[in-house]
Amino acid sequence: MVNSSLIRKILIYFVYTMIIVCFQVSFPEVLTFNHQVADLMFVYVCLVGYFFGIKDGLIIGAVVGICRDVLATPILVGLDGKANTFYGIGLIVLLLISFFSANFFTKQTKRKFTFAMVDVIVMTVLYKSVGNIFVWLYNVLIVGNQYTVTLSQVLLDSITTQFIINFICAVPIYLLLRFVGPYKGGINPVLLNRTEFGGDDTWLTI
Amino acid sequence: MVLCATLLLIAIVIFGAIPNSPVRKLVKPINAVVSPIQKLIKNGGDALDDFFASIKDGIAIREENKELRSEIAELQYVITQNEEARIRYEELKDAFHIKDSFSTYDIYGASILSRDADEWFSIIRVDIGQKDGLSVEDGSSLAVVDVQMNLLGRVIETEADSSKILPLTHEGFTVIGKVNEVNGAIVTVVGDSNLKNQGLCLVTGIDENTVPEVGTEIVTSGDGGLFPQGVPIGVIESVDTTNPLKITATLRPYTQIGSVKDLFIMVPLVTDEGETEVTSVETVEGDANG
């Protein structure tokens, strides 16, 4: 007999993943503020990893990452000076984010709404900082292009704007995952029964 | 283990960048599954948007209709005058052998499926691809314009039922332009990592004797063969002459990529001998596509 909670989990993950991925690439103008697009996929992966553990996080991170690569493929200027599409960058980014989110002080503290928001902010700042450093290194050192973005623009326009809009988007996504999410009561029973960290049965509190 | 996995994935990314690599073939079935769902959600969103827009527009249209009725009478007279002028133009066109600007191109209409997911995942996907006859070989590309025939970008990759477009504000985009006047100065219009967030492009290769003024229109020069000559790109917004050896300007493209829904892809016509009627579509070295 097929486990009904498993079907529910797969179905809800599938629907949420498709809606979030497709909405972001189809209507980015709705989610744009100060030239930055709210990264629903990123926030979704962060929250799944943080609340539902590393297994769910990595699976959702991989699926969303692949969809991101297919639907919004990143373009980089290659060593030959020609612009080229690079598949797999979204996959790496979201797998790493899900891994880090699933381990974001989850052994030291209970998985709370407040910490989930801190997780989204920290991961956004980490992603944007590492991303900008990578793009700078790639342009200046490898391709030999001029990279004209200044540090203040990175800090204000890229990082600050992004974490503010990601933070705002994190609230409705959290509510969806918590109250109409893949698990009844918004709690992953695998984490509920975990005892190696002194019991985790009251972890999900707002 | 995380480091090993990351390094392995990075290796796959680099391997995937090689033309015709198996990684690209792996993406095709995923695209076949995800694309229809994405189209469905986009169409659903558009339908909802259209529904509310139709109610709002209906009220406005009723008011507008009253005004338009009175204008019709006046325009009927203008139409008669214009018809006369059209006949004259056709006569002169034949007499002087004037060719239509883009008569050597097939124009394919397309709708945008998806846009940028964030500042680094910034490709535009449209709903026509290889099944519709579009094909981009390695080293070649196709020009893309908006509905006003202003330059929007170029096709970078085609799949079975979708194509990917590099927008002109992306730092990987380069086009040779010229000031839109007789013997106008040649310049290079490039995407810039800093300016793209403001929807602007950078203009380089400006000669100190022919510095364009603010408001000057820049069009494609036709050099390089990818873009036909005379496609409007945008207007000069500011000029930086602080370094006389490296004068640069910022250009505001006519096309507003964020609000474009439909666009046109220009495919050079192929003659009976299998050659394109326009000059070669191969991109020149350094991705400088004129």
Side-chain angles (χ1 to χ4, degrees), chain A residues 24-26 35 68 70-73 81 84-85 87 127-128 148 153 158, chain B residues 2 17 24 31 38 114-115 117-119 121 125 157 164 192 194 197 287:
Chain A
Q24 185 172 343
V25 295
S26 301
H35 312 296
R68 191 182 178 101
V70 170
L71 298 176
T73 320
N84 203 356
T85 51
Y87 291 97
Y127 166 57
K128 283 286 169 180
T148 51
Q153 284 170 327
S158 180
Chain B
V2 178
R24 283 170 185 267
N31 195 29
Q38 196 255 329
S114 62
R115 298 168 191 273
D118 79 356
E119 63 183 305
F121 292 77
R125 275 174 66 247
E157 199 172 286
K164 289 174 178 168
D192 182 80
N194 182 15
N197 282 342
D287 214 23

PDB file of all heavy atoms in Angstrom, chain A residues 24-26 35 68 70-73 81 84-85 87 127-128 148 153 158, chain B residues 2 17 24 31 38 114-115 117-119 121 125 157 164 192 194 197 287:
ATOM      1  N   GLN A  24       8.428  32.836 -10.980  1.00  0.00           N
ATOM      2  CA  GLN A  24       9.591  33.735 -10.956  1.00  0.00           C
ATOM      3  C   GLN A  24      10.107  34.078 -12.343  1.00  0.00           C
ATOM      4  O   GLN A  24      10.451  35.222 -12.626  1.00  0.00           O
ATOM      5  CB  GLN A  24      10.727  33.125 -10.120  1.00  0.00           C
ATOM      6  CG  GLN A  24      11.876  34.116  -9.995  1.00  0.00           C
ATOM      7  CD  GLN A  24      12.951  33.672  -9.032  1.00  0.00           C
ATOM      8  OE1 GLN A  24      12.728  32.801  -8.223  1.00  0.00           O
ATOM      9  NE2 GLN A  24      14.097  34.278  -9.139  1.00  0.00           N
ATOM     10  N   VAL A  25      10.150  33.084 -13.226  1.00  0.00           N
ATOM     11  CA  VAL A  25      10.689  33.371 -14.571  1.00  0.00           C
ATOM     12  C   VAL A  25       9.631  33.941 -15.516  1.00  0.00           C
ATOM     13  O   VAL A  25       9.976  34.554 -16.526  1.00  0.00           O
ATOM     14  CB  VAL A  25      11.352  32.128 -15.214  1.00  0.00           C
ATOM     15  CG1 VAL A  25      12.567  31.696 -14.434  1.00  0.00           C
ATOM     16  CG2 VAL A  25      10.366  30.983 -15.366  1.00  0.00           C
ATOM     17  N   SER A  26       8.332  33.744 -15.177  1.00  0.00           N
ATOM     18  CA  SER A  26       7.277  34.241 -16.068  1.00  0.00           C
ATOM     19  C   SER A  26       6.890  35.681 -15.746  1.00  0.00           C
ATOM     20  O   SER A  26       6.556  36.446 -16.641  1.00  0.00           O
ATOM     21  CB  SER A  26       6.028  33.362 -15.964  1.00  0.00           C
ATOM     22  OG  SER A  26       6.325  32.038 -16.293  1.00  0.00           O
ATOM     23  N   HIS A  35      15.716  47.222  -9.409  1.00  0.00           N
ATOM     24  CA  HIS A  35      16.412  46.415 -10.426  1.00  0.00           C
ATOM     25  C   HIS A  35      16.788  45.020  -9.946  1.00  0.00           C
ATOM     26  O   HIS A  35      17.526  44.311 -10.620  1.00  0.00           O
ATOM     27  CB  HIS A  35      17.680  47.121 -10.953  1.00  0.00           C
ATOM     28  CG  HIS A  35      17.457  48.538 -11.320  1.00  0.00           C
ATOM     29  ND1 HIS A  35      16.610  48.911 -12.340  1.00  0.00           N
ATOM     30  CD2 HIS A  35      17.942  49.696 -10.796  1.00  0.00           C
ATOM     31  CE1 HIS A  35      16.596  50.228 -12.431  1.00  0.00           C
ATOM     32  NE2 HIS A  35      17.386  50.740 -11.508  1.00  0.00           N
ATOM     33  N   ARG A  68      16.005  26.037 -12.785  1.00  0.00           N
ATOM     34  CA  ARG A  68      16.570  27.388 -12.924  1.00  0.00           C
ATOM     35  C   ARG A  68      17.554  27.432 -14.093  1.00  0.00           C
ATOM     36  O   ARG A  68      17.563  28.374 -14.877  1.00  0.00           O
ATOM     37  CB  ARG A  68      17.279  27.748 -11.612  1.00  0.00           C
ATOM     38  CG  ARG A  68      17.705  29.196 -11.452  1.00  0.00           C
ATOM     39  CD  ARG A  68      18.427  29.295 -10.128  1.00  0.00           C
ATOM     40  NE  ARG A  68      18.942  30.609  -9.815  1.00  0.00           N
ATOM     41  CZ  ARG A  68      18.362  31.475  -8.988  1.00  0.00           C
ATOM     42  NH1 ARG A  68      17.230  31.184  -8.427  1.00  0.00           N
ATOM     43  NH2 ARG A  68      18.912  32.643  -8.720  1.00  0.00           N
ATOM     44  N   VAL A  70      17.536  25.464 -16.695  1.00  0.00           N
ATOM     45  CA  VAL A  70      16.851  25.257 -17.973  1.00  0.00           C
ATOM     46  C   VAL A  70      16.059  26.506 -18.374  1.00  0.00           C
ATOM     47  O   VAL A  70      16.113  26.939 -19.529  1.00  0.00           O
ATOM     48  CB  VAL A  70      15.909  24.029 -17.889  1.00  0.00           C
ATOM     49  CG1 VAL A  70      15.015  23.936 -19.113  1.00  0.00           C
ATOM     50  CG2 VAL A  70      16.724  22.753 -17.753  1.00  0.00           C
ATOM     51  N   LEU A  71      15.358  27.106 -17.426  1.00  0.00           N
ATOM     52  CA  LEU A  71      14.458  28.218 -17.756  1.00  0.00           C
ATOM     53  C   LEU A  71      15.145  29.582 -17.731  1.00  0.00           C
ATOM     54  O   LEU A  71      14.684  30.512 -18.390  1.00  0.00           O
ATOM     55  CB  LEU A  71      13.266  28.232 -16.792  1.00  0.00           C
ATOM     56  CG  LEU A  71      12.367  26.997 -16.823  1.00  0.00           C
ATOM     57  CD1 LEU A  71      11.287  27.092 -15.768  1.00  0.00           C
ATOM     58  CD2 LEU A  71      11.732  26.811 -18.192  1.00  0.00           C
ATOM     59  N   ALA A  72      16.181  29.732 -16.958  1.00  0.00           N
ATOM     60  CA  ALA A  72      16.862  31.039 -16.864  1.00  0.00           C
ATOM     61  C   ALA A  72      18.378  30.803 -16.886  1.00  0.00           C
ATOM     62  O   ALA A  72      19.084  31.181 -15.971  1.00  0.00           O
ATOM     63  CB  ALA A  72      16.447  31.757 -15.595  1.00  0.00           C
ATOM     64  N   THR A  73      18.810  30.192 -17.962  1.00  0.00           N
ATOM     65  CA  THR A  73      20.219  29.793 -18.067  1.00  0.00           C
ATOM     66  C   THR A  73      21.167  30.993 -17.916  1.00  0.00           C
ATOM     67  O   THR A  73      20.969  32.008 -18.567  1.00  0.00           O
ATOM     68  CB  THR A  73      20.463  29.154 -19.452  1.00  0.00           C
ATOM     69  OG1 THR A  73      19.343  28.349 -19.776  1.00  0.00           O
ATOM     70  CG2 THR A  73      21.727  28.332 -19.469  1.00  0.00           C
ATOM     71  N   GLY A  81      35.890  35.148 -25.775  1.00  0.00           N
ATOM     72  CA  GLY A  81      35.229  36.441 -25.918  1.00  0.00           C
ATOM     73  C   GLY A  81      33.774  36.336 -26.332  1.00  0.00           C
ATOM     74  O   GLY A  81      33.098  37.350 -26.489  1.00  0.00           O
ATOM     75  N   ASN A  84      28.245  32.680 -23.834  1.00  0.00           N
ATOM     76  CA  ASN A  84      27.837  31.279 -23.925  1.00  0.00           C
ATOM     77  C   ASN A  84      26.961  30.925 -22.733  1.00  0.00           C
ATOM     78  O   ASN A  84      27.108  31.491 -21.657  1.00  0.00           O
ATOM     79  CB  ASN A  84      29.097  30.400 -23.946  1.00  0.00           C
ATOM     80  CG  ASN A  84      28.828  29.059 -24.585  1.00  0.00           C
ATOM     81  OD1 ASN A  84      27.699  28.746 -24.952  1.00  0.00           O
ATOM     82  ND2 ASN A  84      29.857  28.259 -24.719  1.00  0.00           N
ATOM     83  N   THR A  85      26.055  29.967 -22.933  1.00  0.00           N
ATOM     84  CA  THR A  85      25.219  29.524 -21.816  1.00  0.00           C
ATOM     85  C   THR A  85      25.972  28.483 -20.988  1.00  0.00           C
ATOM     86  O   THR A  85      26.690  27.652 -21.540  1.00  0.00           O
ATOM     87  CB  THR A  85      23.912  28.902 -22.331  1.00  0.00           C
ATOM     88  OG1 THR A  85      24.232  27.925 -23.312  1.00  0.00           O
ATOM     89  CG2 THR A  85      23.003  29.939 -22.939  1.00  0.00           C
ATOM     90  N   TYR A  87      25.242  25.600 -18.192  1.00  0.00           N
ATOM     91  CA  TYR A  87      24.276  24.823 -17.422  1.00  0.00           C
ATOM     92  C   TYR A  87      24.943  24.273 -16.156  1.00  0.00           C
ATOM     93  O   TYR A  87      26.103  23.885 -16.195  1.00  0.00           O
ATOM     94  CB  TYR A  87      23.738  23.658 -18.256  1.00  0.00           C
ATOM     95  CG  TYR A  87      22.853  24.111 -19.391  1.00  0.00           C
ATOM     96  CD1 TYR A  87      23.356  24.252 -20.675  1.00  0.00           C
ATOM     97  CD2 TYR A  87      21.526  24.418 -19.171  1.00  0.00           C
ATOM     98  CE1 TYR A  87      22.554  24.682 -21.718  1.00  0.00           C
ATOM     99  CE2 TYR A  87      20.707  24.850 -20.198  1.00  0.00           C
ATOM    100  CZ  TYR A  87      21.229  24.973 -21.480  1.00  0.00           C
ATOM    101  OH  TYR A  87      20.434  25.409 -22.492  1.00  0.00           O
ATOM    102  N   TYR A 127      25.227  34.318  -0.743  1.00  0.00           N
ATOM    103  CA  TYR A 127      25.112  34.057  -2.173  1.00  0.00           C
ATOM    104  C   TYR A 127      25.522  35.274  -2.997  1.00  0.00           C
ATOM    105  O   TYR A 127      26.303  35.176  -3.953  1.00  0.00           O
ATOM    106  CB  TYR A 127      23.661  33.649  -2.491  1.00  0.00           C
ATOM    107  CG  TYR A 127      23.284  33.663  -3.945  1.00  0.00           C
ATOM    108  CD1 TYR A 127      23.982  32.904  -4.887  1.00  0.00           C
ATOM    109  CD2 TYR A 127      22.199  34.422  -4.399  1.00  0.00           C
ATOM    110  CE1 TYR A 127      23.616  32.913  -6.220  1.00  0.00           C
ATOM    111  CE2 TYR A 127      21.840  34.425  -5.727  1.00  0.00           C
ATOM    112  CZ  TYR A 127      22.541  33.683  -6.646  1.00  0.00           C
ATOM    113  OH  TYR A 127      22.177  33.702  -7.968  1.00  0.00           O
ATOM    114  N   LYS A 128      25.006  36.442  -2.594  1.00  0.00           N
ATOM    115  CA  LYS A 128      25.305  37.656  -3.350  1.00  0.00           C
ATOM    116  C   LYS A 128      26.778  38.042  -3.223  1.00  0.00           C
ATOM    117  O   LYS A 128      27.399  38.489  -4.186  1.00  0.00           O
ATOM    118  CB  LYS A 128      24.403  38.801  -2.867  1.00  0.00           C
ATOM    119  CG  LYS A 128      22.999  38.708  -3.388  1.00  0.00           C
ATOM    120  CD  LYS A 128      22.958  39.101  -4.859  1.00  0.00           C
ATOM    121  CE  LYS A 128      21.639  38.774  -5.498  1.00  0.00           C
ATOM    122  NZ  LYS A 128      21.608  39.157  -6.919  1.00  0.00           N
ATOM    123  N   THR A 148      32.814  46.958 -14.016  1.00  0.00           N
ATOM    124  CA  THR A 148      32.656  48.353 -13.608  1.00  0.00           C
ATOM    125  C   THR A 148      31.788  48.549 -12.370  1.00  0.00           C
ATOM    126  O   THR A 148      31.570  49.668 -11.950  1.00  0.00           O
ATOM    127  CB  THR A 148      32.026  49.152 -14.767  1.00  0.00           C
ATOM    128  OG1 THR A 148      30.857  48.462 -15.208  1.00  0.00           O
ATOM    129  CG2 THR A 148      33.000  49.306 -15.920  1.00  0.00           C
ATOM    130  N   GLN A 153      27.924  49.873  -4.929  1.00  0.00           N
ATOM    131  CA  GLN A 153      26.780  49.372  -5.707  1.00  0.00           C
ATOM    132  C   GLN A 153      26.463  47.920  -5.345  1.00  0.00           C
ATOM    133  O   GLN A 153      25.305  47.533  -5.264  1.00  0.00           O
ATOM    134  CB  GLN A 153      27.066  49.486  -7.206  1.00  0.00           C
ATOM    135  CG  GLN A 153      26.950  50.921  -7.717  1.00  0.00           C
ATOM    136  CD  GLN A 153      27.474  51.058  -9.128  1.00  0.00           C
ATOM    137  OE1 GLN A 153      28.405  50.367  -9.529  1.00  0.00           O
ATOM    138  NE2 GLN A 153      26.883  51.960  -9.876  1.00  0.00           N
ATOM    139  N   SER A 158      22.897  45.531  -4.897  1.00  0.00           N
ATOM    140  CA  SER A 158      22.804  44.090  -5.082  1.00  0.00           C
ATOM    141  C   SER A 158      22.438  43.385  -3.766  1.00  0.00           C
ATOM    142  O   SER A 158      21.377  42.775  -3.668  1.00  0.00           O
ATOM    143  CB  SER A 158      24.137  43.542  -5.620  1.00  0.00           C
ATOM    144  OG  SER A 158      24.060  42.168  -5.807  1.00  0.00           O
TER     145      SER A 158
ATOM    146  N   VAL B   2      31.310  17.570   0.647  1.00  0.00           N
ATOM    147  CA  VAL B   2      30.623  18.702   0.000  1.00  0.00           C
ATOM    148  C   VAL B   2      31.533  19.353  -1.024  1.00  0.00           C
ATOM    149  O   VAL B   2      31.121  19.674  -2.141  1.00  0.00           O
ATOM    150  CB  VAL B   2      30.189  19.749   1.064  1.00  0.00           C
ATOM    151  CG1 VAL B   2      29.530  20.941   0.407  1.00  0.00           C
ATOM    152  CG2 VAL B   2      29.240  19.120   2.052  1.00  0.00           C
ATOM    153  N   ALA B  17      29.767  23.576 -21.058  1.00  0.00           N
ATOM    154  CA  ALA B  17      29.929  24.769 -21.889  1.00  0.00           C
ATOM    155  C   ALA B  17      30.496  24.458 -23.262  1.00  0.00           C
ATOM    156  O   ALA B  17      30.428  25.265 -24.181  1.00  0.00           O
ATOM    157  CB  ALA B  17      30.833  25.769 -21.179  1.00  0.00           C
ATOM    158  N   ARG B  24      24.470  19.165 -22.459  1.00  0.00           N
ATOM    159  CA  ARG B  24      23.431  19.935 -23.142  1.00  0.00           C
ATOM    160  C   ARG B  24      22.300  19.021 -23.611  1.00  0.00           C
ATOM    161  O   ARG B  24      21.141  19.401 -23.610  1.00  0.00           O
ATOM    162  CB  ARG B  24      24.022  20.682 -24.330  1.00  0.00           C
ATOM    163  CG  ARG B  24      24.796  21.901 -23.888  1.00  0.00           C
ATOM    164  CD  ARG B  24      25.576  22.518 -25.012  1.00  0.00           C
ATOM    165  NE  ARG B  24      26.380  23.607 -24.495  1.00  0.00           N
ATOM    166  CZ  ARG B  24      26.000  24.873 -24.473  1.00  0.00           C
ATOM    167  NH1 ARG B  24      24.849  25.213 -24.964  1.00  0.00           N
ATOM    168  NH2 ARG B  24      26.781  25.799 -23.967  1.00  0.00           N
ATOM    169  N   ASN B  31      13.857  20.071 -20.192  1.00  0.00           N
ATOM    170  CA  ASN B  31      13.192  21.211 -20.819  1.00  0.00           C
ATOM    171  C   ASN B  31      11.824  20.804 -21.362  1.00  0.00           C
ATOM    172  O   ASN B  31      10.852  21.547 -21.250  1.00  0.00           O
ATOM    173  CB  ASN B  31      14.083  21.743 -21.943  1.00  0.00           C
ATOM    174  CG  ASN B  31      13.666  23.112 -22.400  1.00  0.00           C
ATOM    175  OD1 ASN B  31      13.128  23.880 -21.617  1.00  0.00           O
ATOM    176  ND2 ASN B  31      13.887  23.409 -23.649  1.00  0.00           N
ATOM    177  N   GLN B  38       5.518  25.458 -17.432  1.00  0.00           N
ATOM    178  CA  GLN B  38       5.798  26.890 -17.317  1.00  0.00           C
ATOM    179  C   GLN B  38       4.890  27.689 -18.251  1.00  0.00           C
ATOM    180  O   GLN B  38       4.365  28.741 -17.879  1.00  0.00           O
ATOM    181  CB  GLN B  38       7.272  27.144 -17.647  1.00  0.00           C
ATOM    182  CG  GLN B  38       7.759  28.500 -17.201  1.00  0.00           C
ATOM    183  CD  GLN B  38       7.923  29.459 -18.339  1.00  0.00           C
ATOM    184  OE1 GLN B  38       8.237  29.038 -19.442  1.00  0.00           O
ATOM    185  NE2 GLN B  38       7.717  30.721 -18.102  1.00  0.00           N
ATOM    186  N   SER B 114       9.947  33.266 -20.691  1.00  0.00           N
ATOM    187  CA  SER B 114      10.530  33.522 -19.368  1.00  0.00           C
ATOM    188  C   SER B 114      11.648  34.537 -19.475  1.00  0.00           C
ATOM    189  O   SER B 114      12.256  34.720 -20.527  1.00  0.00           O
ATOM    190  CB  SER B 114      11.040  32.222 -18.753  1.00  0.00           C
ATOM    191  OG  SER B 114      12.057  31.669 -19.542  1.00  0.00           O
ATOM    192  N   ARG B 115      11.883  35.201 -18.336  1.00  0.00           N
ATOM    193  CA  ARG B 115      12.919  36.234 -18.288  1.00  0.00           C
ATOM    194  C   ARG B 115      13.937  35.894 -17.203  1.00  0.00           C
ATOM    195  O   ARG B 115      14.004  34.772 -16.747  1.00  0.00           O
ATOM    196  CB  ARG B 115      12.294  37.585 -17.964  1.00  0.00           C
ATOM    197  CG  ARG B 115      11.313  38.081 -18.977  1.00  0.00           C
ATOM    198  CD  ARG B 115      10.565  39.250 -18.387  1.00  0.00           C
ATOM    199  NE  ARG B 115       9.426  39.613 -19.199  1.00  0.00           N
ATOM    200  CZ  ARG B 115       9.486  40.448 -20.212  1.00  0.00           C
ATOM    201  NH1 ARG B 115      10.613  41.004 -20.534  1.00  0.00           N
ATOM    202  NH2 ARG B 115       8.409  40.734 -20.904  1.00  0.00           N
ATOM    203  N   ALA B 117      15.867  35.334 -13.806  1.00  0.00           N
ATOM    204  CA  ALA B 117      15.518  34.886 -12.458  1.00  0.00           C
ATOM    205  C   ALA B 117      16.233  35.736 -11.415  1.00  0.00           C
ATOM    206  O   ALA B 117      15.735  35.937 -10.324  1.00  0.00           O
ATOM    207  CB  ALA B 117      15.873  33.419 -12.272  1.00  0.00           C
ATOM    208  N   ASP B 118      17.413  36.198 -11.722  1.00  0.00           N
ATOM    209  CA  ASP B 118      18.094  37.200 -10.900  1.00  0.00           C
ATOM    210  C   ASP B 118      19.160  37.864 -11.764  1.00  0.00           C
ATOM    211  O   ASP B 118      19.192  37.665 -12.965  1.00  0.00           O
ATOM    212  CB  ASP B 118      18.638  36.611  -9.585  1.00  0.00           C
ATOM    213  CG  ASP B 118      19.939  35.845  -9.733  1.00  0.00           C
ATOM    214  OD1 ASP B 118      20.418  35.691 -10.872  1.00  0.00           O
ATOM    215  OD2 ASP B 118      20.489  35.407  -8.707  1.00  0.00           O
ATOM    216  N   GLU B 119      20.016  38.689 -11.158  1.00  0.00           N
ATOM    217  CA  GLU B 119      20.915  39.493 -11.993  1.00  0.00           C
ATOM    218  C   GLU B 119      21.910  38.660 -12.790  1.00  0.00           C
ATOM    219  O   GLU B 119      22.478  39.141 -13.765  1.00  0.00           O
ATOM    220  CB  GLU B 119      21.648  40.535 -11.138  1.00  0.00           C
ATOM    221  CG  GLU B 119      22.559  39.956 -10.067  1.00  0.00           C
ATOM    222  CD  GLU B 119      23.197  41.052  -9.217  1.00  0.00           C
ATOM    223  OE1 GLU B 119      23.831  41.952  -9.780  1.00  0.00           O
ATOM    224  OE2 GLU B 119      23.049  40.990  -7.982  1.00  0.00           O
ATOM    225  N   PHE B 121      21.186  35.228 -13.713  1.00  0.00           N
ATOM    226  CA  PHE B 121      20.450  34.258 -14.530  1.00  0.00           C
ATOM    227  C   PHE B 121      19.514  35.069 -15.419  1.00  0.00           C
ATOM    228  O   PHE B 121      18.326  35.184 -15.159  1.00  0.00           O
ATOM    229  CB  PHE B 121      19.672  33.279 -13.646  1.00  0.00           C
ATOM    230  CG  PHE B 121      20.551  32.347 -12.855  1.00  0.00           C
ATOM    231  CD1 PHE B 121      21.210  32.776 -11.718  1.00  0.00           C
ATOM    232  CD2 PHE B 121      20.747  31.040 -13.265  1.00  0.00           C
ATOM    233  CE1 PHE B 121      22.037  31.929 -10.990  1.00  0.00           C
ATOM    234  CE2 PHE B 121      21.563  30.179 -12.547  1.00  0.00           C
ATOM    235  CZ  PHE B 121      22.211  30.633 -11.408  1.00  0.00           C
ATOM    236  N   ARG B 125      13.732  33.609 -22.763  1.00  0.00           N
ATOM    237  CA  ARG B 125      13.309  32.452 -23.561  1.00  0.00           C
ATOM    238  C   ARG B 125      12.051  32.812 -24.337  1.00  0.00           C
ATOM    239  O   ARG B 125      11.143  33.446 -23.806  1.00  0.00           O
ATOM    240  CB  ARG B 125      12.996  31.248 -22.662  1.00  0.00           C
ATOM    241  CG  ARG B 125      14.199  30.414 -22.303  1.00  0.00           C
ATOM    242  CD  ARG B 125      13.842  29.340 -21.304  1.00  0.00           C
ATOM    243  NE  ARG B 125      12.941  28.341 -21.843  1.00  0.00           N
ATOM    244  CZ  ARG B 125      11.678  28.163 -21.435  1.00  0.00           C
ATOM    245  NH1 ARG B 125      11.143  28.939 -20.540  1.00  0.00           N
ATOM    246  NH2 ARG B 125      10.941  27.208 -21.945  1.00  0.00           N
ATOM    247  N   GLU B 157      20.878  30.539 -28.520  1.00  0.00           N
ATOM    248  CA  GLU B 157      20.711  29.084 -28.520  1.00  0.00           C
ATOM    249  C   GLU B 157      19.290  28.736 -28.934  1.00  0.00           C
ATOM    250  O   GLU B 157      18.346  29.429 -28.553  1.00  0.00           O
ATOM    251  CB  GLU B 157      20.979  28.567 -27.097  1.00  0.00           C
ATOM    252  CG  GLU B 157      21.302  27.095 -26.998  1.00  0.00           C
ATOM    253  CD  GLU B 157      21.740  26.744 -25.580  1.00  0.00           C
ATOM    254  OE1 GLU B 157      22.868  27.088 -25.198  1.00  0.00           O
ATOM    255  OE2 GLU B 157      20.944  26.136 -24.844  1.00  0.00           O
ATOM    256  N   LYS B 164      16.739  30.822 -26.867  1.00  0.00           N
ATOM    257  CA  LYS B 164      17.253  31.681 -25.804  1.00  0.00           C
ATOM    258  C   LYS B 164      17.902  32.925 -26.418  1.00  0.00           C
ATOM    259  O   LYS B 164      18.658  32.820 -27.385  1.00  0.00           O
ATOM    260  CB  LYS B 164      18.245  30.914 -24.939  1.00  0.00           C
ATOM    261  CG  LYS B 164      17.519  29.887 -24.093  1.00  0.00           C
ATOM    262  CD  LYS B 164      18.405  28.986 -23.306  1.00  0.00           C
ATOM    263  CE  LYS B 164      17.523  28.046 -22.482  1.00  0.00           C
ATOM    264  NZ  LYS B 164      18.256  26.952 -21.885  1.00  0.00           N
ATOM    265  N   ASP B 192      27.046  46.310 -20.258  1.00  0.00           N
ATOM    266  CA  ASP B 192      27.976  46.601 -19.170  1.00  0.00           C
ATOM    267  C   ASP B 192      27.379  46.103 -17.856  1.00  0.00           C
ATOM    268  O   ASP B 192      26.189  46.310 -17.595  1.00  0.00           O
ATOM    269  CB  ASP B 192      28.223  48.117 -19.112  1.00  0.00           C
ATOM    270  CG  ASP B 192      29.208  48.492 -18.036  1.00  0.00           C
ATOM    271  OD1 ASP B 192      30.417  48.347 -18.260  1.00  0.00           O
ATOM    272  OD2 ASP B 192      28.763  48.911 -16.947  1.00  0.00           O
ATOM    273  N   ASN B 194      27.673  47.094 -14.904  1.00  0.00           N
ATOM    274  CA  ASN B 194      27.187  48.135 -14.020  1.00  0.00           C
ATOM    275  C   ASN B 194      25.915  48.783 -14.568  1.00  0.00           C
ATOM    276  O   ASN B 194      24.936  48.956 -13.855  1.00  0.00           O
ATOM    277  CB  ASN B 194      28.292  49.185 -13.837  1.00  0.00           C
ATOM    278  CG  ASN B 194      27.897  50.285 -12.886  1.00  0.00           C
ATOM    279  OD1 ASN B 194      26.928  50.155 -12.151  1.00  0.00           O
ATOM    280  ND2 ASN B 194      28.639  51.363 -12.897  1.00  0.00           N
ATOM    281  N   ASN B 197      21.772  47.190 -14.906  1.00  0.00           N
ATOM    282  CA  ASN B 197      20.712  47.319 -13.916  1.00  0.00           C
ATOM    283  C   ASN B 197      19.871  48.568 -14.136  1.00  0.00           C
ATOM    284  O   ASN B 197      18.732  48.642 -13.711  1.00  0.00           O
ATOM    285  CB  ASN B 197      21.296  47.337 -12.503  1.00  0.00           C
ATOM    286  CG  ASN B 197      21.666  45.941 -12.039  1.00  0.00           C
ATOM    287  OD1 ASN B 197      21.202  44.951 -12.599  1.00  0.00           O
ATOM    288  ND2 ASN B 197      22.518  45.866 -11.041  1.00  0.00           N
ATOM    289  N   ASP B 287      33.261  38.477 -30.497  1.00  0.00           N
ATOM    290  CA  ASP B 287      31.816  38.610 -30.354  1.00  0.00           C
ATOM    291  C   ASP B 287      31.315  39.985 -30.748  1.00  0.00           C
ATOM    292  O   ASP B 287      30.289  40.437 -30.300  1.00  0.00           O
ATOM    293  CB  ASP B 287      31.383  38.308 -28.917  1.00  0.00           C
ATOM    294  CG  ASP B 287      30.024  37.648 -28.905  1.00  0.00           C
ATOM    295  OD1 ASP B 287      29.628  37.061 -29.912  1.00  0.00           O
ATOM    296  OD2 ASP B 287      29.381  37.733 -27.874  1.00  0.00           O
TER     297      ASP B 287
END
